[in-house]
Amino acid sequence: KMIIWIPDGRYIQDRRCSEAVAGYLKEIGVDVELQTYEWATYVSKLLGSEPNTAEYDAVLISFAVGTRDADRGMASIYESTQWVPKSFNMSFYANDKVDAALQAAREETDQQERLRLYGEAGKQIMEDAPAIFLVSYEFVGAYSNKVHGVQFDPNGGVRVTGAWLEK
């Protein structure tokens, strides 16, 4: 039996998405048990997990990179030194090629070479499939054309520092 942890009401249609995944897995013969937790409990249990005693086989989670740098998003989720509870590698994924590419990219100063190294790591991660990417949200915002200097963050945030209103 595959145990999948899901948060309760944290993400848009999180339960429906999880039930769909469970349904698809059932179609190929995988018995799934969805375990639902309130967000604070979910995070506490998840980040308190250990590799040899994790009580889940998969989790539903969203991750946004506030720094807009590939290293933060890739290393904290896929580098083998970043397993929970230390960081956010909740799948306990480990691949020496990925670790080496991420380390080299982190030390590289040439932006094109960094891009190549992160691409190499990303390709290997996609081949290994420690995660299934289900949804990519598109955040939409609107404001009056009299408001200037507002910035929409790709993570869904709004930055108003330096914003001003035209009279």
Side-chain angles (χ1 to χ4, degrees), residues 121-132:
K123 182 178 180 194
Q124 186 64 54
I125 290 165
M126 294 303 283
E127 287 177 15
D128 292 344
I132 299 170

Side-chain angles (χ1 to χ4, degrees), residues 143-150 162-167:
Y143 54 92
S144 166
N145 61 2
K146 292 183 179 184
V147 176
H148 302 276
V150 173
W164 54 280
L165 181 63
E166 182 180 306
K167 291 186 180 185

Side-chain angles (χ1 to χ4, degrees), residues 54-156:
E55 298 173 15
Y56 60 84
D57 298 299
V59 298
L60 178 71
I61 194 76
S62 175
F63 191 81
V65 182
T67 65
R68 298 183 184 158
D69 186 85
D71 193 66
R72 173 71 173 130
M74 295 179 80
S76 64
I77 299 174
Y78 299 113
E79 199 166 37
S80 65
T81 60
Q82 302 301 308
W83 290 356
V84 291
K86 179 180 179 181
S87 191
F88 299 107
N89 184 341
M90 297 162 218
S91 64
F92 305 108
Y93 174 71
N95 182 303
D96 292 340
K97 289 180 190 174
V98 170
D99 288 350
L102 292 175
Q103 184 62 40
R106 186 176 305 119
E107 295 169 357
E108 182 60 57
T109 57
D110 179 84
Q111 293 303 309
Q112 290 304 312
E113 181 61 10
R114 284 186 86 219
L115 182 62
R116 187 193 70 74
L117 289 162
Y118 286 123
E120 179 182 305
K123 182 178 180 194
Q124 186 64 54
I125 290 165
M126 294 303 283
E127 287 177 15
D128 292 344
I132 299 170
F133 302 95
L134 301 174
V135 178
S136 179
Y137 293 108
E138 185 174 333
F139 296 99
V140 178
Y143 54 92
S144 166
N145 61 2
K146 292 183 179 184
V147 176
H148 302 276
V150 173
Q151 296 177 338
F152 287 91
D153 189 283
N155 298 333

Side-chain angles (χ1 to χ4, degrees), residues 2-91:
M2 180 179 193
I3 296 173
I4 302 177
W5 284 3
I6 61 172
D8 184 22
R10 172 64 174 102
Y11 305 114
I12 297 170
Q13 298 190 1
D14 49 13
R15 170 154 299 276
R16 288 183 68 195
C17 183
S18 300
E19 288 170 349
V21 168
Y24 299 141
L25 290 168
K26 185 176 183 175
E27 288 178 11
I28 61 168
V30 179
D31 184 23
V32 174
E33 178 184 337
L34 297 177
Q35 295 182 358
T36 306
Y37 300 95
E38 176 275 328
W39 180 244
T41 301
Y42 180 78
V43 170
S44 178
K45 286 178 68 72
L46 190 56
L47 296 182
S49 297
E50 294 284 345
N52 298 324
T53 59
E55 298 173 15
Y56 60 84
D57 298 299
V59 298
L60 178 71
I61 194 76
S62 175
F63 191 81
V65 182
T67 65
R68 298 183 184 158
D69 186 85
D71 193 66
R72 173 71 173 130
M74 295 179 80
S76 64
I77 299 174
Y78 299 113
E79 199 166 37
S80 65
T81 60
Q82 302 301 308
W83 290 356
V84 291
K86 179 180 179 181
S87 191
F88 299 107
N89 184 341
M90 297 162 218
S91 64

